[in-house]
Amino acid sequence: MNVLLDYLPEFRDGFLGTLAITASSALLALVLGVVIAGFRVSPVPPLRAFGTAWVMVLRNTPLTLLFLVAFFVVPQVLFRGASPYILATLALGFYTSSFVCEAVRSGINTVPLGQAEAARSIGMTFSQTLRQIVLPQATRTVLAPLSSIFIALTKNSAIAGAFGFGELFNVSKLLNDKGYSIAWIFLWTALAYLIITFAISGVFRVLERRMEVVR
């Protein structure tokens, strides 16, 4: 108990750091995932090929390797002087976007093909059909898998702590190095992660209830 009370500001900052990296990378993953899912169902072959390659590469690359690329390659090539927060967001967001893409694509496939054909018959473009007809209906289907994906993202954010970003795992590592009992450190850290994951699960349950269709 003393480790929490004595280092409450550090735990608070780590908790807020985990919240920040989770929120920003989740937003990036959601935007990229929806766009890449659109590519994967696009009638344009190059876009479909790009979407397939995106998913295959990122889903089959270890997340730790993506962090290594983000922290040691990206600053040398693209963003010199980028903060650990930005680099960690890029690694987590890009990795998670591949899973979001597949969840969204599965949701798109549940929408009857006749709806898209009807939209095209009245002159709507592919992007209009996807945005106004297909995605709103697919949203109900993808909420449950997206909840699991973002919960996994929260736990994956711990890798950012190993690269110097101030989140919960990084705080745990620092306190362990000072000689505190690792059992108590991990207990408080685990409770903090549970608070975040339960909050995410609760938000998605509310969304599912609001968007459910009465049968």
Side-chain angles (χ1 to χ4, degrees):
M1 187 68 178
N2 289 339
V3 65
L4 176 65
L5 297 177
D6 294 343
Y7 289 91
L8 187 59
E10 285 78 4
F11 273 106
R12 179 200 61 206
D13 293 342
F15 182 80
L16 294 177
T18 297
L19 280 179
I21 194 67
T22 298
S24 59
S25 54
L27 179 60
L28 177 61
L30 185 61
V31 172
L32 285 176
V34 171
V35 171
I36 299 300
F39 286 178
R40 294 212 66 187
V41 298
S42 170
V44 182
L47 291 181
R48 290 202 305 272
F50 178 84
T52 301
W54 181 282
V55 171
M56 290 295 292
V57 170
L58 290 176
R59 286 189 69 177
N60 292 288
T61 301
L63 182 54
T64 304
L65 179 58
L66 290 180
F67 268 91
L68 289 171
V69 172
F71 276 80
F72 298 107
V73 177
V74 171
Q76 301 297 324
V77 178
L78 297 174
F79 305 119
R80 294 186 180 275
S83 67
Y85 172 75
I86 293 176
L87 297 175
T89 296
L90 290 175
L92 278 171
F94 275 54
Y95 177 76
T96 308
S97 70
S98 62
F99 295 91
V100 172
C101 168
E102 289 301 273
V104 173
R105 187 172 70 93
S106 297
I108 290 173
N109 290 336
T110 64
V111 179
L113 183 60
Q115 304 234 1
E117 293 175 343
R120 285 196 296 270
S121 70
I122 62 175
M124 295 181 70
T125 64
F126 171 76
S127 61
Q128 289 174 328
T129 301
L130 190 65
R131 187 174 63 253
Q132 299 178 29
I133 305 297
V134 177
L135 284 178
Q137 298 181 71
T139 300
R140 300 186 186 97
T141 307
V142 303
L143 284 176
L146 284 182
S147 174
S148 298
I149 289 170
F150 289 142
I151 287 173
L153 167 63
T154 303
K155 293 180 284 188
N156 287 338
S157 68
I159 299 178
F163 288 84
F165 179 72
E167 51 78 64
L168 284 168
F169 179 78
N170 182 260
V171 172
S172 301
K173 181 176 179 297
L174 292 176
L175 294 181
N176 183 51
D177 291 342
K178 291 184 178 182
Y180 283 92
S181 171
I182 193 170
W184 282 106
I185 295 172
F186 281 170
L187 172 64
W188 297 120
T189 302
L191 287 175
Y193 277 113
L194 282 174
I195 291 172
I196 299 174
T197 56
F198 280 154
I200 293 173
S201 179
V203 168
F204 275 91
R205 279 200 300 270
V206 170
L207 291 175
E208 288 176 21
R209 285 198 297 268
R210 286 181 176 273
M211 301 188 69
E212 68 181 354
V213 177
V214 179
R215 301 183 186 277

